[in-house]
């Protein structure tokens, strides 16, 4: 449980669903939260009553459904999964790179490094033998994991009846909550259950004597014979079908050696990275070339992210005009683009104008993630803008939007608004029903100096989910800016 909390609090998880104040209200009363979670686990009172599904963009048109759990429900889930993590780890082959629990869970903290390690291992294998490569993954993997099958799997690895009953009860309640099914997407702990669910596939490929690498449902099988690879892929498809899963027809391919090596090698990027580290002359130009090639023709998102991160780190502002102009089209890359812009405080006026024009351009359309990211960035950078405040009000008052952009709109208004804004926030709070937005409104009212202590005292002694944030605000804290 303490590991689950540290992981959530310290941001070692990918911040797909950020918090308006980095969970500082929970941190300030963690001991009391811990008692409640222990009591819930002991009494078997597990499982979320409601789950909000946040559609995070994968590209311009497709989305990935992320389960937004309350902090309490998230920590109950992570704790139960972490209790069986060592049992799952004991069943995994070295060929599995995702969600590894070695070194008492320390390896589990580096998903990006694990992915890169798998790619490099694949490239090394291709260098040492004339392999062809079969590559595949699973359609909507987490969503189609069958809980009945998973229950048998949990029992088979040696989990106690106490843990098994609570974990399956939790997942059953999760499936009956809102639009959720399968296992939660978002928490990295789900990767542990995903590894367990694919154990039969791992075992089959190894018994077939083939070289194999896997990161979650992304599978790579190596062999010198194309026909052998085809036979293995067909059998994997059969195993997946028996476990209520479907192989992705669009992502299942067999590549010859040359094509396979191209799939895996990043030699130019490795060289650029090393050149930047040692200050090699020309490394910056080679990095900029990667960026230019990434945005020409059919955009290569992976190379855009690679180059922008490093250009920002080395204060190369040559990508800044493109980023400012293409925020809307690249709303699925918003976090990476905005972090790049943040590296250039001297260009803040241009950034502010781009934020305003972008929010005006997406008004009335479904760009909730982009709106949230812009308001989060504007709050974090302490940009004070009347036009941004007006855009934030439009977002906050639109109850057809998901909660995240409305939460960050409230936080922004609370920091930059006038006395009148603070008074209006109180009116919005009285009419608001969504608990996460109400929490954000309390923080906004506090920062706008428009909140009464009797209200906070009343909420702090209630059984409302707002009790924790009210207790926190009664301490007169300096609320941290969102990450």
């Amino acid at each position: 449980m303490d590991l689950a909390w540290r992981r959530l609090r310290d941001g070692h998880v990918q911040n797909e669903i950020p918090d308006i104040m980095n969970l500082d209200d929970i941190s300030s009363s963690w001991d009391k939260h811990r008692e409640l979670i222990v009591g819930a686990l002991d009494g078997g009172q597990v499982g979320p009553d409601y789950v909000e599904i946040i559609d995070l963009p994968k590209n311009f048109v497709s989305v990935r459904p992320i389960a937004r759990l309350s902090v309490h429900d998230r920590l109950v889930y992570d704790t139960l999964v972490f209790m069986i993590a060592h049992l799952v780890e004991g069943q995994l082959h070295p060929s599995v790179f995702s969600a590894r629990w070695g070194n008492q869970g320390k390896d589990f903290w580096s998903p990006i490094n694990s992915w890169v390690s798998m790619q490099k291992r694949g490239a090394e294998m291709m260098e040492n033998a004339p392999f062809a490569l079969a590559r595949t993954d699973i359609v909507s993997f987490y969503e189609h994991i069958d809980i009945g099958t998973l229950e048998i799997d949990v029992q088979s690895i040696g989990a106690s009846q106490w843990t098994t009953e609570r974990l399956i009860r939790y997942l059953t309640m999760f499936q009956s909550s809102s639009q959720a099914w399968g296992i939660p997407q978002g928490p990295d702990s789900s990767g542990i259950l995903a590894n367990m669910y694919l154990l039969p596939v791992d075992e089959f490929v190894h018994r077939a004597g083939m070289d194999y690498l896997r990161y979650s449902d992304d599978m790579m099988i190596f062999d010198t014979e194309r026909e052998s690879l085809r036979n293995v892929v067909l059998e994997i498809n059969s195993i997946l079908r028996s476990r209520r899963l479907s192989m992705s027809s669009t992502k299942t391919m067999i590549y010859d050696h040359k094509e396979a090596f191209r799939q895996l090698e990043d030699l130019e990027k490795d060289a650029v990275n090393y050149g930047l580290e040692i200050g090699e002359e020309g490394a910056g130009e080679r990095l900029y070339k990667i960026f230019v090639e990434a945005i020409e023709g059919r955009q290569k998102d992976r190379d855009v992210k690679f180059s922008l991160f490093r250009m920002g780190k080395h204060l190369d502002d040559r990508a800044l005009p493109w980023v400012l102009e293409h925020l809307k089209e690249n709303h699925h890359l918003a976090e990476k683009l905005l972090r790049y812009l943040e590296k250039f405080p001297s260009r803040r006026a241009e950034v502010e104008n781009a934020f305003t024009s972008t929010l005006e351009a997406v008004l009335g359309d479904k760009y909730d993630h982009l709106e949230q990211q812009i308001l989060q960035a504007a709050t974090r950078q302490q940009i004070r803008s009347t036009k941004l405040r007006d855009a934030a009000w439009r977002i906050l008052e639109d109850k057809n939007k998901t909660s995240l952009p409305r939460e960050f709109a409230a936080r922004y208004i609370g920091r930059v608004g006038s006395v009148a804004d603070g008074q209006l926030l109180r009116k919005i709070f009285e009419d608001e029903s969504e608990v996460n937005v109400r929490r954000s409104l309390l923080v906004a009212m506090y920062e706008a100096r428009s909140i009464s202590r009797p209200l906070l005292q009343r909420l702090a002694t209630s059984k409302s989910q707002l009790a924790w944030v009210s207790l926190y605000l009664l301490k007169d804290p300096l609320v941290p800016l969102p990450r």
Side-chain angles (χ1 to χ4, degrees):
M1 183 189 305
D2 291 327
L3 173 62
W5 167 238
R6 289 198 304 273
R7 184 173 174 79
L8 184 62
R9 178 198 64 197
D10 295 343
H12 287 288
V13 292
Q14 296 178 359
N15 272 336
E16 294 175 309
I17 303 180
D19 186 66
I20 58 157
M21 55 176 169
N22 313 324
L23 301 176
D24 210 44
D25 54 337
I26 307 299
S27 293
S28 69
S29 54
W30 168 239
D31 289 342
K32 294 179 181 179
H33 274 277
R34 193 180 192 282
E35 289 177 13
L36 289 175
I37 295 169
V38 169
L41 288 167
D42 286 343
Q45 303 301 312
V46 299
D49 294 324
Y50 173 75
V51 177
E52 182 182 10
I53 300 299
I54 305 290
D55 286 333
L56 290 189
K58 294 173 65 175
N59 54 39
F60 186 72
V61 294
S62 66
V63 298
R64 186 162 62 99
I66 299 297
R68 187 183 193 188
L69 303 165
S70 70
V71 173
H72 177 93
D73 291 336
R74 168 67 181 269
L75 292 175
V76 167
Y77 176 61
D78 285 351
T79 299
L80 288 169
V81 176
F82 288 176
M83 288 174 71
I84 65 170
H86 68 289
L87 299 174
V88 177
E89 178 64 29
Q91 301 297 319
L92 296 176
H93 290 276
S95 56
V96 177
F97 282 74
S98 57
R100 298 306 302 247
W101 195 255
N103 299 322
Q104 297 181 327
K106 292 180 181 178
D107 292 349
F108 188 57
W109 295 64
S110 304
I112 294 176
N113 291 342
S114 299
W115 167 260
V116 171
S117 296
M118 184 185 76
Q119 295 291 108
K120 289 185 175 180
R121 176 61 184 142
E124 290 170 1
M125 292 165 63
M126 297 299 301
E127 287 178 341
N128 295 329
F131 283 134
L133 167 68
R135 195 161 195 173
T136 189
D137 70 8
I138 299 167
V139 176
S140 302
F141 177 32
Y142 282 20
E143 296 169 82
H144 290 103
I145 287 178
D146 178 69
I147 301 305
T149 303
L150 188 68
E151 180 175 9
I152 297 172
D153 294 343
V154 174
Q155 293 169 338
S156 70
I157 63 169
S160 68
Q161 183 177 352
W162 187 96
T163 304
T164 302
E165 287 179 352
R166 283 160 174 76
L167 179 57
I168 299 305
R169 184 181 304 151
Y170 185 101
L171 293 173
T172 301
M173 289 186 66
F174 170 78
Q175 288 205 357
S176 64
S177 302
S178 186
Q179 304 170 28
W181 65 91
I183 65 175
Q185 289 201 58
D188 285 342
S189 52
S190 288
I192 295 171
L193 299 183
N195 277 344
M196 179 174 59
Y197 205 77
L198 292 180
L199 284 174
V201 174
D202 299 342
E203 184 62 23
F204 163 73
V205 178
H206 284 285
R207 286 172 65 87
M210 296 208 171
D211 289 289
Y212 169 68
L213 299 173
R214 178 171 69 77
Y215 189 97
S216 190
D217 62 323
D218 185 356
M219 299 174 235
M220 297 188 287
I221 308 106
F222 304 83
D223 196 73
T224 56
E225 298 295 328
R226 187 180 182 88
E227 201 64 39
S228 298
L229 286 172
R230 178 179 178 273
N231 291 337
V232 166
V233 168
L234 291 174
E235 185 59 31
I236 290 174
N237 188 47
S238 178
I239 295 170
L240 293 175
R241 198 163 52 243
S242 72
R243 298 178 74 75
R244 309 297 188 265
L245 300 173
S246 300
M247 185 179 286
S248 172
S249 59
T250 59
K251 295 183 179 180
T252 302
M253 301 287 291
I254 296 178
Y255 304 93
D256 63 25
H257 182 74
K258 184 177 180 180
E259 293 170 326
F261 203 72
R262 194 179 301 120
Q263 281 274 313
L264 294 168
E265 69 173 352
D266 274 322
L267 299 181
E268 173 63 14
K269 292 180 190 175
D270 288 343
V272 167
N273 232 355
Y274 180 69
L276 292 169
E277 288 176 8
I278 66 173
E280 179 186 24
E281 185 177 353
E285 292 303 317
R286 290 157 63 197
L287 175 63
Y288 182 59
K289 181 183 177 183
I290 291 175
F291 169 73
V292 170
E293 292 176 349
I295 61 175
E296 289 178 342
R298 184 173 181 179
Q299 183 172 303
K300 303 179 185 70
D301 287 348
R302 190 175 168 196
D303 288 354
V304 170
K305 291 187 286 186
F306 172 88
S307 52
L308 283 184
F309 173 76
R310 287 155 184 82
M311 290 175 73
K313 185 177 180 181
H314 292 272
L315 302 181
D316 183 342
D317 66 355
R318 285 179 289 179
L320 198 140
W322 180 87
V323 172
L324 291 174
E325 186 178 347
H326 293 88
L327 285 174
K328 179 180 177 181
E329 302 94 295
N330 288 281
H331 66 105
H332 57 295
L333 303 178
E335 195 269 340
K336 305 297 182 186
L337 271 58
L338 296 177
R339 294 286 180 181
Y340 172 77
L341 295 177
E342 198 167 338
K343 298 293 184 180
F344 307 100
S346 64
R347 312 287 289 273
R348 180 165 293 190
E350 296 170 71
V351 171
E352 180 182 322
N353 289 336
F355 283 2
T356 302
S357 61
T358 300
L359 289 180
E360 290 174 350
V362 302
L363 183 65
D365 294 322
K366 291 184 176 297
Y367 286 90
D368 288 16
H369 176 70
L370 178 59
E371 292 170 338
Q372 171 248 303
Q373 287 285 338
I374 288 177
L375 290 169
Q376 180 180 350
T379 305
R380 183 172 62 241
Q381 296 175 55
Q382 304 189 63
I383 296 175
R384 304 182 69 88
S385 163
T386 301
K387 290 183 178 179
L388 276 179
R389 184 200 62 188
D390 293 342
W393 267 115
R394 292 198 301 269
I395 291 168
L396 176 60
E397 292 175 327
D398 186 352
K399 293 191 176 183
N400 290 320
K401 288 191 176 295
T402 53
S403 60
L404 267 178
R406 299 182 65 220
E407 291 170 50
F408 280 91
R411 181 79 204 273
Y412 183 78
I413 294 167
R415 289 193 63 81
V416 306
S418 64
V419 173
D421 286 312
Q423 294 168 343
L424 285 172
L425 286 170
R426 289 208 307 271
K427 174 64 170 61
I428 296 288
F429 176 81
E430 292 168 1
D431 296 336
E432 181 60 49
S433 59
E434 210 289 324
V435 66
N436 288 309
V437 178
R438 284 171 63 82
R439 173 176 173 264
S440 300
L441 285 165
L442 281 177
V443 174
M445 291 155 58
Y446 169 81
E447 291 195 300
R449 299 180 180 180
S450 185
I451 195 168
S452 69
R453 291 188 72 83
L455 171 63
L456 292 177
Q457 289 166 345
R458 185 168 67 253
L459 289 171
T461 56
S462 71
K463 294 184 178 180
S464 163
Q465 293 184 50
L466 299 178
W468 302 108
V469 69
S470 300
L471 282 167
Y472 171 74
L473 295 176
L474 282 168
K475 299 174 184 177
D476 297 318
L478 180 63
V479 183
L481 295 171
R483 294 192 184 105

